[in-house]
Amino acid sequence: EVQLVESGGGLVQRGGSLRLSCAVSGFTFTNDWMSWVRQAPGKGLEWVANINEGGSEKYYADSVKGRFTVSRDNAKYSVYLQMNSLRADDTAVYYCVRGGTTANFWGQGTLVTVSS
Amino acid sequence: QSALTQPASVSGSPGQSITISCTGTSSDVGGNKYVTWYQQHPGKAPKLIIYDVSNRPSGVSNRFSGSKSDNTASLTISGLQPEDEADYYCSAYRGSSTLGVFGTGTTVTVL
């Protein structure tokens, strides 16, 4: 059974940092791109970042470029999102997703709230 | 990174068919086969229901079908059922070295 379990969300002050983690199981992690997608309260979906199988290619939304960094540890079957200089409009549920172009499977999400 | 355009809401009675449109440009929807559709029930994570314009993952009802014409993709739900009431999002690939883009989302209501 494919599982993606996010952790690391919470309440943070504006300008602060958080690191999200996603532990995966049930598929061969090293064969897949991985992505982060977010959804602000009551709003639509937004691709945030993705990373290729080996970690050498990474792409970011313009809204987070220079502030967020995606990485992965293939030995630990995990993907991460380091979020710095957080702003109020970064408040959202962050989903870990299997796939880079097609989101084949989604985690349950972790809520990040940035207070001003 | 402008979102793809979807109608805000679509409704239908049980048993009817409805279609949700997703309009983009020749750089995304019209430019490749990587158009996907997701279903999201309230408080839940989205679920993939259509990939590569018209393919259904294993386990997804054949009442869901996808198509594309020029820069507009469409999702049709046939034989509408109460459990189809949800938000639906399209997404498209915009080429290498960039992220994809989602649609604005459509709320489906079963009357």
Side-chain angles (χ1 to χ4, degrees):
Chain A
E1 179 190 6
V2 173
Q3 286 195 325
L4 291 77
V5 180
E6 302 96 336
S7 59
L11 178 64
V12 62
Q13 286 193 327
R14 184 176 56 188
S17 298
L18 274 180
R19 187 194 194 210
L20 305 183
S21 300
C22 174
V24 315
S25 61
F27 65 99
T28 306
F29 182 64
T30 51
N31 287 350
D32 283 284
W33 282 70
M34 296 295 296
S35 301
W36 288 94
V37 173
R38 70 182 180 183
Q39 186 171 35
K43 302 297 184 180
L45 302 170
E46 180 187 18
W47 293 97
V48 174
N50 62 18
I51 184 169
N52 73 337
E53 299 89 340
S56 60
E57 292 183 56
K58 306 174 184 181
Y59 303 107
Y60 299 91
D62 288 344
S63 56
V64 307
K65 206 170 290 184
R67 300 186 299 122
F68 290 12
T69 302
V70 61
S71 61
R72 65 190 293 162
D73 186 331
N74 284 348
K76 295 183 177 179
Y77 267 44
S78 293
V79 62
Y80 308 97
L81 186 67
Q82 177 67 44
M83 304 185 296
N84 298 330
S85 303
L86 283 161
R87 311 186 306 215
D89 61 358
D90 294 319
T91 294
V93 173
Y94 285 74
Y95 294 101
C96 173
V97 166
R98 176 186 177 186
T101 300
T102 297
N104 294 293
F105 200 86
W106 300 63
Q108 84 287 354
T110 186
L111 176 63
V112 171
T113 303
V114 182
S115 67
S116 52
Chain B
Q1 293 170 338
S2 302
L4 308 175
T5 301
Q6 297 180 232
S9 63
V10 174
S11 61
S13 299
Q16 285 187 328
S17 293
I18 61 170
T19 296
I20 302 168
S21 61
C22 170
T23 301
T25 69
S26 58
S27 296
D28 39 62
V29 174
N32 59 78
K33 71 173 185 175
Y34 301 113
V35 177
T36 54
W37 289 91
Y38 304 91
Q39 177 191 60
Q40 185 180 33
H41 287 108
K44 301 293 186 181
K47 170 190 171 184
L48 177 68
I49 57 172
I50 295 288
Y51 68 96
D52 294 355
V53 176
S54 60
N55 294 293
R56 278 188 311 276
S58 174
V60 172
S61 171
N62 59 10
R63 297 186 298 103
F64 293 93
S65 61
S67 63
K68 188 182 79 164
S69 177
D70 296 327
N71 298 335
T72 298
S74 299
L75 173 71
T76 297
I77 309 175
S78 305
L80 200 61
Q81 297 184 2
E83 58 264 34
D84 298 332
E85 197 161 277
D87 291 329
Y88 293 82
Y89 293 90
C90 62
S91 181
Y93 176 64
R94 276 186 165 168
S96 61
S97 306
T98 187
L99 296 179
V101 59
F102 283 105
T104 49
T106 299
T107 298
V108 168
T109 301
V110 181
L111 302 172

